[in-house]
Amino acid sequence: MPRTTTRLNVLPPYPLAHIPQKKRDLIARGVDVIDLGAGDADLPPPPAAVEALAKAARDPALGRYGFGLGYVPFREAISRWMDRRFKQRFDPLTEIVPLIGSKEGIAHLAFGFLQPGDVAILPEPGYMAYAGGTLLSDAEVYAYALRPRTNFLVDLDDVPKEVLDRTRVLFLNYPNNPTAAIAPREYLEDIVRRCRERDILLVYDNAYSEMAFDGYVPPSIFEIEGARDVAVEFHSLSKTYNMTGWRCGWAVASKAICSVLTRVKSFVDTGAYMGIQYAGVAAIESWESFLPGNLKTFQERRDAAVSAFLEADFEVESPKATMYLWIPLPEGISSAQFTDRLMQDEGVIALPGSAFGAGGEGFFRISFITSPDRLREAAMRAGRVLAKV
Ligand SMILES: Cc1ncc(COP(=O)(O)O)c(C=O)c1O
C-alpha cells in the first residue's frame, strides 16, 4: 500500500460509516430492525420531479456535460424561489452555483478559503463536511461544543482571541442537525456583524430551511443586513423534497464568493447531470403544492416521537424544525454504549452524540424517517434499554 497523507489520517471516523453493515448483520440474525439513523426519509419526491427525470432521461441534450453553468433554467428557478421565499434577489448566472448535493459544495468551498495556519470554527456536534473540507485544506478545526447552556448556539465570546485572530471561516447550521436548535434573528445579526468586523467567511448551511413546524419560518442569512459581504448560504433538495440520493443543491452568495467555489469546482467536477437539474426545476416549482403535505407527515412523526420518548422516560422537547430529536441521556451514561445496547438488544438504530464529536456526548439522535407506529415502537424499546443501564 503506497503511503497516505497526514491530512487523510487526521480525518475522524465517519459517523454513519459502519451502520449499513451492522444493519445487514442484525437483519441476517432475524432482528426486526428500526433504522432511525440517517436523515434520509422513506417518503417519495414530488411526482412532477419524478416525471421530469423520466422525460429528461430520453433527451440526449440533457445527458451531455453540464459544466459549471449547468441547466440555466435550474439557476433561474432557484433565483425565483429565493426571491419568493426570502425576498432576496440573486443573479441566476453569477450569484448561484448549482451543486451535486450541498455537501459537495460545503466541502469544496474550503479549498478556496482555507490554508495551513487558518482556523475554521465549526459546531460540534455538526455535519461532517465542515470538518472534512477544513482538514482536507490542511487548516485547523476549532470545534465549538453546542450545549444547552447557549441554546445550542455558537457563542464567539467563548472562543479564545488567538483562535479568532486566525479564523477565516465560520460554519453555522440553523435549523440545526443534529440538535434541532433554531437561531433567533438577533443572534444572526450579531454573528453577521462580527464576521464583517473580522472578515470571516460565514458559511450558512440552510439544508433544513423548509423543514419547520408550528408556524416557525426559518430565515435566509441574507435577510440579515450586511450578510452579502461575508456569507454564503447552502440549500438542498434532499430534505425539502425527499430527494437525498438525487444529489442536487446550490450555493448562493455574492458574485465574488460564488466565483471562488465555481473555480474550485471546475477542477474537480463537470457539473451535476442536467436531467437532475431539469427535474430540480420541477421540484422547486412544486414547492407550494408539495411542501405542506410533506411537512404534515413529518409533524405527525415528530409528535408521535416526542410523546413516545417522553412516555419512555426520556427528557425531550418538541423541536420547531428539522427531522431530528436530540435526546439527552442521564449523567454518566455514554452515548455510544447506550446506542450500541439499543441496536444489539432491541434492533433500533440511532446515532450516539459522540459520533458527531466529543461535543455531542451525553445525547443521541433519532430521525423521523419512519411511520409514527414504528417511532412509537422504537421509543418503547429505547425505554427498556434506559431502564437497564
Ligand atoms: C446539516 C446538513 N447540511 C448539509 C447536508 C447535505 O445535504 P445534501 O444531500 O444536499 O448533500 C445535510 C444532510 O444530511 C445536513 O444534515
Side-chain angles (χ1 to χ4, degrees):
M1 166 79 180
R3 193 213 64 199
T4 56
T5 58
T6 315
R7 79 172 72 84
L8 182 86
N9 300 330
V10 296
L11 290 175
Y14 202 83
L16 293 168
H18 306 295
I19 288 185
Q21 185 53 45
K22 285 191 176 163
K23 187 175 168 182
R24 270 198 299 277
D25 295 346
L26 288 170
I27 292 169
R29 269 173 36 206
V31 175
D32 169 31
V33 174
I34 307 178
D35 183 354
L36 308 180
D40 192 0
D42 58 342
L43 300 167
V50 176
E51 268 150 43
L53 180 62
K55 192 168 156 212
R58 285 185 221 103
D59 183 349
L62 292 173
R64 304 185 71 192
Y65 284 129
F67 295 108
L69 180 66
Y71 180 63
V72 171
F74 180 53
R75 289 172 173 265
E76 290 165 346
I78 293 165
S79 173
R80 280 195 302 275
W81 181 79
M82 292 293 299
D83 187 11
R84 179 137 178 241
R85 168 69 173 83
F86 303 113
K87 305 272 171 296
Q88 296 300 314
R89 296 209 162 181
F90 290 93
D91 176 59
L93 294 183
T94 58
E95 296 180 317
I96 287 166
V97 183
L99 300 171
I100 311 169
S102 63
K103 181 181 192 178
E104 170 268 296
I106 291 167
H108 281 139
L109 183 73
F111 293 138
F113 285 98
L114 291 170
Q115 61 191 11
D118 293 345
V119 173
I121 298 176
L122 46 89
E124 187 187 87
Y127 191 56
M128 297 308 273
Y130 316 143
T134 304
L135 296 171
L136 292 172
S137 303
D138 292 331
E140 245 172 77
V141 163
Y142 182 86
Y144 183 94
L146 299 185
R147 306 298 298 179
R149 175 182 68 84
T150 62
N151 294 320
F152 302 104
L153 298 170
V154 173
D155 182 351
L156 291 180
D157 285 338
D158 293 337
V159 179
K161 182 173 177 302
E162 179 277 323
V163 173
L164 269 182
D165 288 345
R166 290 189 297 125
T167 298
R168 307 303 315 146
V169 173
L170 167 62
F171 291 94
L172 285 188
N173 161 230
Y174 296 102
N176 183 258
N177 170 17
T179 68
I182 57 175
R185 194 168 282 261
E186 315 76 71
Y187 170 78
L188 296 176
E189 284 165 359
D190 184 56
I191 286 284
V192 166
R193 183 181 56 75
R194 297 177 69 156
C195 285
R196 291 181 74 194
E197 273 166 17
R198 291 187 160 266
D199 212 16
I200 292 172
L201 179 74
L202 173 57
V203 178
Y204 199 73
D205 179 359
N206 218 345
Y208 297 90
S209 69
E210 305 315 295
M211 192 156 271
F213 314 107
D214 311 332
Y216 174 62
V217 182
S220 162
I221 196 67
F222 295 113
E223 291 174 39
I224 308 299
E225 211 187 310
R228 287 192 192 222
D229 293 341
V230 287
V232 51
E233 181 163 278
F234 284 88
H235 287 270
S236 172
L237 299 187
S238 291
K239 319 288 168 170
T240 310
Y241 302 104
N242 307 322
M243 287 169 68
T244 50
W246 296 49
R247 312 310 304 130
C248 197
W250 66 89
V252 49
S254 67
K255 181 178 172 186
I257 294 174
C258 281
S259 67
V260 175
L261 181 56
T262 301
R263 181 139 187 244
V264 172
K265 277 174 61 60
S266 64
F267 285 87
V268 292
D269 69 65
T270 314
Y273 169 41
M274 284 195 287
I276 298 280
Q277 299 185 50
Y278 179 85
V281 174
I284 292 171
E285 286 180 348
S286 73
W287 176 69
E288 208 156 41
S289 55
F290 177 78
L291 195 69
N294 201 49
L295 275 181
K296 187 165 168 277
T297 304
F298 277 106
Q299 180 156 350
E300 282 162 11
R301 293 171 170 201
R302 177 201 66 169
D303 294 345
V306 168
S307 21
F309 275 91
L310 278 173
E311 214 164 286
D313 264 351
F314 291 92
E315 274 176 43
V316 286
E317 279 172 31
S318 188
K320 287 226 172 314
T322 77
M323 54 166 84
Y324 307 113
L325 274 189
W326 185 239
I327 308 175
L329 285 163
E331 275 288 325
I333 298 182
S334 116
S335 59
Q337 264 170 6
F338 179 80
T339 53
D340 215 47
R341 292 274 311 256
L342 186 56
M343 182 156 60
Q344 296 305 335
D345 298 1
E346 298 282 357
V348 176
I349 298 174
L351 292 187
S354 59
F356 297 90
E361 188 49 281
F363 291 79
F364 69 103
R365 188 191 83 177
I366 63 137
S367 309
F368 310 144
I369 52 172
T370 185
S371 67
D373 276 350
R374 295 294 276 169
L375 285 162
R376 280 190 277 267
E377 169 69 24
M380 205 177 66
R381 296 187 196 176
R384 285 201 290 259
V385 176
L386 184 67
K388 277 193 284 189
V389 291

